[in-house]
Amino acid sequence: MDTKEILKKVRKIEIKTRRLSDHIFSGEYHTSFKGRGMTFSEVRQYQFGDDVRAIDWNVTARYNEPYVKVFEEERELTMLLVVDISSSENFGTQKQLKKELITEIAATLAFSATQNNDKIGLVLFTDQIELYIPPKKGKSHVLRIIRELIEYKPKSKKTNIGQALQFISATQKKKAIVFVISDFITEDDYEKSLKIASKKHDLTGFRVYDHREERLPDVGILEMIDAETGTQLVVDTHSIQVRKAYESNYANRVKFFREVFLKCGAGTVQTRLDESYVTRLLGYFKARG
């Protein structure tokens, strides 16, 4: 993909996702994710209805009339987008691939954070940390993040979510809003790493999947290749036992995702490629608000 094509894609994603973040998500995002506390802003004259506990007695004594302290929310936050770019994200039987929808979701979240003057950082991972962009403010920074999501070529095909979570715990010293966006197709047990990361950060797992991944169709003998390991298999999809084993394996993986995030006090969002991620994300923000 040449530079002109990349810039065209970045612009297309910017137009769509910025519109969503401007008109739908910015207010919900602000309500869902609170600032670090209240900081002193100014002193003004007491008005009827003010909390008497806010009276500044020193200033009141000086001017012989009541004055109150005014506080405002210390709003600035940091959002970290932790994005799975392993080979299983190159799958999709609908209008787009999982990785394309993931890019759109990440861009929408980034522009929502920008609307609130928050910093945004990016971690791209497979079974290793592929790229880290430290948190920073501004539109140009968000556009760089989108560009990396579109054009970055991973060195590995595999997935290790636990390692990505360990990286977050090691590098993010202050509390951050963390979105781990992935299909969560992985063999690693990431519970311990999630438990540590979620104690420090406001963490959400965003699972993106295709409905064709949920069960095998009955279409006879199939040659299948594991996108991440390259393993080739001949599968008899006529076999009820084979189809049931596949469905059970998939269901257990989804169950683990839900239960371990709940157990660790982290949030979850799930969206299928043929569903509206906007509805899912908005519902999640409203539930938190």
Side-chain angles (χ1 to χ4, degrees), residues 58 71 78 124 156 167 178 202 221 267:
N58 290 330
F71 294 85
T78 295
L124 298 181
S156 176
F167 179 80
V178 179
D202 188 335
I221 305 295

Side-chain angles (χ1 to χ4, degrees), residues 20 24-29 31-33 108-109 179 204-206 267-271 276-289:
L20 286 170
I24 300 175
F25 291 121
S26 59
E28 298 295 340
Y29 169 87
T31 304
S32 299
F33 301 104
T108 301
L109 289 168
F179 279 90
T204 301
F206 203 131
T268 58
V269 186
Q270 299 186 76
T271 189
S276 168
Y277 77 87
V278 174
T279 303
R280 297 288 188 184
L281 193 54
L282 195 57
Y284 178 64
F285 283 171
K286 285 182 180 294
R288 287 181 52 113

Side-chain angles (χ1 to χ4, degrees), residues 171-215:
T171 57
Q172 304 304 307
K173 301 305 178 186
K174 292 182 179 179
K175 182 178 179 180
I177 299 163
V178 179
F179 279 90
V180 182
I181 313 174
S182 170
D183 56 13
F184 288 88
I185 296 176
T186 180
E187 298 303 321
D188 76 288
D189 182 349
Y190 50 84
E191 182 175 353
K192 184 179 178 182
S193 302
L194 178 62
K195 188 176 182 180
I196 294 168
S198 61
K199 277 184 179 179
K200 186 175 182 182
H201 303 294
D202 188 335
L203 205 147
T204 301
F206 203 131
R207 190 174 81 91
V208 175
Y209 65 102
D210 189 290
H211 77 286
R212 291 291 185 191
E213 294 172 320
E214 297 178 277
R215 57 185 57 85

Side-chain angles (χ1 to χ4, degrees), residues 112-137:
S112 297
T114 298
Q115 284 288 322
N116 286 278
N117 202 35
D118 293 342
K119 295 177 181 177
I120 305 101
L122 176 69
V123 177
L124 298 181
F125 74 95
T126 51
D127 62 346
Q128 62 191 54
I129 303 304
E130 298 271 353
L131 177 70
Y132 173 53
I133 300 177
K136 193 177 172 184
K137 294 181 183 182

Side-chain angles (χ1 to χ4, degrees), residues 57-119:
W57 294 107
N58 290 330
V59 177
T60 297
R62 194 181 307 146
Y63 291 100
N64 207 28
E65 58 180 312
Y67 277 77
V68 294
K69 294 177 181 177
V70 178
F71 294 85
E72 61 183 22
E73 183 184 0
E74 190 181 356
R75 174 62 222 175
E76 185 181 290
L77 296 168
T78 295
M79 174 187 282
L80 195 65
L81 300 168
V82 184
V83 179
D84 181 357
I85 56 169
S86 62
S87 289
S88 63
E89 308 305 342
N90 294 318
F91 180 77
T93 62
Q94 303 302 308
K95 294 178 181 178
Q96 57 188 340
L97 304 177
K98 283 186 283 184
K99 72 173 185 179
E100 292 170 335
L101 182 60
I102 285 172
T103 297
E104 204 173 298
I105 292 166
T108 301
L109 289 168
F111 278 121
S112 297
T114 298
Q115 284 288 322
N116 286 278
N117 202 35
D118 293 342
K119 295 177 181 177

